[in-house]
Amino acid sequence: MNITKSAMVSIRYYSTFSCVLSINIYKCYTIFGDKMNTLDYLKFITDEIHTTVVATVDEQGLPVTSAIDIMDYDEDGLYFLTAKGKSFYNRLKNKEYISLTGIKGTDTMHCISVSVKGKVQEIGKDYLDRLIGKNPYMNEIYPTAESKQALTVFKLYDGSGEWFDLSKKPIERKSFSFGNRNENNCRYCITDSCMLCGACLEVCPQSCISFQNGIAVIKQENCLHCGNCYDVCPVDAVAYHK
């Protein structure tokens, strides 16, 4: 087989690029890994992702998305700011609830996504200096004290979230919550009605269902929530929790 010089360079570049992708995801996962707690997830959103897509609802009940930087975190939740003249501000005040998603990675199979939903409240200017101090680029957008008068801080609290890592084989999914919110981590669960026919094992894309001590069990941290097991069970033994 004849390979031109330019083709060899391309192959070498592709191999190096793939290696960099793997190393970056490995470093990211090594830092946080299996022992992450809620504060680690909030830190990852703030420091590693930072810019998220936030969903709100307008006066007609229609969804609206905005790109919002998450600027700080603590055990109570996430902090961000906006200007009072923006329609985003009005939606936050009217509905007082948001959901957001952020992604870290360069392509679908080498990325981690984190999603959070929860209540929001305006906490005003008390945290403004703290947020701008940690995010000094805001001084380029609002360069004077007078221009910063438009800004106000919001806190996302009483929330729940999900960590979804497609760089792992099988995929990895973890749930977390903060404040006064608790989530049921079991979206699809196999009940005592299971007759061990094995139909669910055949259709599970991540092979995360197994027989243990005479019952079928879904390994929740690897479940895609595709619903195949629910659809094929002949005795409706798979429960779905919304």
Side-chain angles (χ1 to χ4, degrees):
M1 180 176 63
N2 295 324
I3 301 178
T4 64
K5 183 176 180 181
S6 60
M8 291 176 67
V9 171
S10 298
I11 292 171
R12 188 177 300 114
Y13 174 78
Y14 177 78
S15 299
T16 302
F17 182 66
S18 298
C19 180
V20 170
L21 283 178
S22 299
I23 290 172
N24 285 342
I25 292 296
Y26 175 76
K27 283 182 178 179
C28 176
Y29 187 77
T30 301
I31 292 171
F32 297 98
D34 292 324
K35 298 180 180 179
M36 291 177 70
N37 57 36
T38 295
L39 208 58
D40 293 326
Y41 293 119
L42 301 182
K43 174 179 172 62
F44 188 88
I45 295 170
T46 305
D47 295 343
E48 299 295 327
I49 294 176
H50 196 63
T51 301
T52 65
V53 177
V54 172
T56 53
V57 178
D58 66 16
E59 293 179 353
Q60 287 75 45
L62 299 175
V64 184
T65 58
S66 306
I68 299 297
D69 288 353
I70 303 301
M71 296 184 169
D72 203 5
Y73 71 97
D74 58 25
E75 62 276 5
D76 294 325
L78 298 168
Y79 298 84
F80 60 94
L81 57 78
T82 189
K84 291 184 176 181
K86 292 180 178 291
S87 57
F88 178 62
Y89 173 83
N90 294 327
R91 294 194 299 273
L92 293 174
K93 296 293 287 184
N94 289 338
K95 302 299 182 181
E96 298 183 331
Y97 194 92
I98 65 170
S99 62
L100 63 85
T101 296
I103 295 176
K104 176 75 172 183
T106 53
D107 61 52
T108 300
M109 298 309 298
H110 298 87
C111 77
I112 295 169
S113 69
V114 189
S115 298
V116 176
K117 59 184 178 181
K119 300 177 181 178
V120 291
Q121 67 177 123
E122 184 178 7
I123 57 176
K125 297 184 180 298
D126 291 345
Y127 277 56
L128 187 58
D129 289 341
R130 168 177 152 183
L131 263 60
I132 292 178
K134 291 189 173 185
N135 302 269
Y137 61 85
M138 289 301 300
N139 290 311
E140 298 183 35
I141 304 172
Y142 292 89
T144 65
E146 289 76 16
S147 63
K148 289 183 177 70
Q149 292 300 311
L151 299 175
T152 187
V153 178
F154 279 83
K155 177 174 74 172
L156 194 168
Y157 68 104
D158 285 354
S160 62
E162 183 176 74
W163 166 280
F164 191 67
D165 187 352
L166 276 173
S167 71
K168 302 283 288 183
K169 303 295 181 187
I171 64 96
E172 182 179 77
R173 180 192 299 275
K174 297 288 181 67
S175 298
F176 59 95
S177 60
F178 50 95
N180 295 318
R181 186 177 184 112
N182 292 308
E183 285 289 292
N184 183 356
N185 295 333
C186 182
R187 181 63 59 87
Y188 290 93
C189 298
I190 300 175
T191 68
D192 294 340
S193 302
C194 174
M195 51 186 271
L196 301 178
C197 69
C200 56
L201 276 69
E202 297 177 2
V203 298
C204 179
Q206 293 295 310
S207 300
C208 65
I209 305 175
S210 61
F211 293 148
Q212 299 177 17
N213 300 320
I215 60 173
V217 177
I218 299 173
K219 194 174 182 181
Q220 296 297 327
E221 61 265 33
N222 304 130
C223 179
L224 274 175
H225 296 172
C226 66
N228 282 346
C229 57
Y230 181 85
D231 291 335
V232 303
C233 182
V235 294
D236 296 328
V238 181
Y240 173 66
H241 301 280
K242 294 183 179 180

